[in-house]
Amino acid sequence: MTMTAADLNALRPALQQRAHKRFLNVGCGSAGPERLPECFQQAGWQQIRLDINPAVKPDIIADTTDLSAVETASMDAVFSSHNLEHLYLHDTVAALNEMHRVICPGGFLLITLPDLQQVAQWVAEGKLTEVIYQSPAGPITPLDILYGHQRSVAEGNTFMAHKSGFDKHSLSEALLKAGFKEVRVTADPYYNLWGYAQKA
């Protein structure tokens, strides 16, 4: 589930028909627009980039747990790619509550992060340090998925360390507790969870 334009149109046809829509890219990092899900690459979407790391030159410098720089109900959507796992578990509650707050009624959250259930299978087989796929950052092992990209952390980018994690059930539960109305969580072949959560 990477959320295509057709998927979004089926889920939120009224939202898709709006001429101008804004989404907050939480924990945007340095990735370019080509790395966004297809639904956000369509005409009419304006991206607002937010990150805690000033080096990636975001529009807003902020911690994911405090989005006070963003007005309540001011975003049609929030996109969160691989940043929730960088927070301690108790802080993920605050982060999801903040994401819910800034989304307008009828808007949605699209979130992706590591699927610890899939990774645990590799760990159980004694393959903690085996390369399981190649990423733009280089080879990725189960150890990288569990604790953060080890090479980046070793080079001083401590923002890359992982402090918590989710499986399908726990992510669904966390999204519902944050106040989202409709929640769908799926796993992809690359050890990621994808969650769609609609705000009433």
Side-chain angles (χ1 to χ4, degrees):
M1 176 183 176
T2 56
M3 187 69 76
T4 65
D7 294 332
L8 179 57
N9 193 43
L11 288 166
R12 306 297 305 139
L15 180 62
Q16 191 66 356
Q17 290 166 9
R18 292 186 198 169
H20 302 288
K21 302 174 290 290
R22 300 198 311 164
F23 75 94
L24 183 68
N25 187 349
V26 175
C28 62
S30 57
E34 71 283 352
R35 297 277 303 279
L36 291 170
E38 182 196 336
C39 64
F40 293 127
Q41 295 186 37
Q42 304 303 303
W45 282 102
Q46 176 191 359
Q47 176 182 195
I48 311 298
R49 300 171 65 251
L50 181 146
D51 204 286
I52 193 172
N53 185 0
V56 302
K57 300 179 180 178
D59 299 307
I60 301 170
I61 299 173
D63 187 300
T64 313
T65 62
D66 179 9
L67 304 181
S68 57
V70 183
E71 292 183 17
T72 298
S74 63
M75 296 290 160
D76 296 289
V78 168
F79 177 51
S80 170
S81 177
H82 290 271
N83 63 81
L84 204 63
E85 67 273 17
H86 297 281
L87 303 175
Y88 290 112
L89 194 58
H90 64 276
D91 284 331
T92 65
V93 176
L96 289 174
N97 285 338
E98 278 289 85
M99 292 180 202
H100 182 271
R101 178 186 64 79
V102 303
I103 297 172
C104 67
F108 67 94
L109 166 66
L110 182 60
I111 187 168
T112 182
L113 44 76
D115 180 2
L116 293 193
Q117 186 171 2
Q118 290 189 74
V119 176
Q121 294 174 359
W122 283 75
V123 177
E125 294 171 10
K127 300 176 180 178
L128 185 66
T129 58
E130 288 193 19
V131 175
I132 56 177
Y133 71 91
Q134 294 288 334
S135 79
I140 299 298
T141 69
L143 191 66
D144 292 311
I145 298 173
L146 287 172
Y147 297 108
H149 190 237
Q150 297 302 292
R151 191 181 75 193
S152 296
V153 174
E155 291 172 353
N157 187 356
T158 56
F159 294 123
M160 293 297 288
H162 291 180
K163 300 172 183 175
S164 63
F166 293 86
D167 60 13
K168 279 196 276 191
H169 175 74
S170 63
L171 180 58
S172 297
E173 193 173 65
L175 291 168
L176 289 169
K177 284 183 178 177
F180 290 98
K181 173 187 173 185
E182 177 187 349
V183 171
R184 304 181 187 190
V185 177
T186 60
D188 72 16
Y190 304 102
Y191 312 96
N192 299 310
L193 293 174
W194 285 85
Y196 168 86
Q198 179 190 330
K199 183 171 178 176

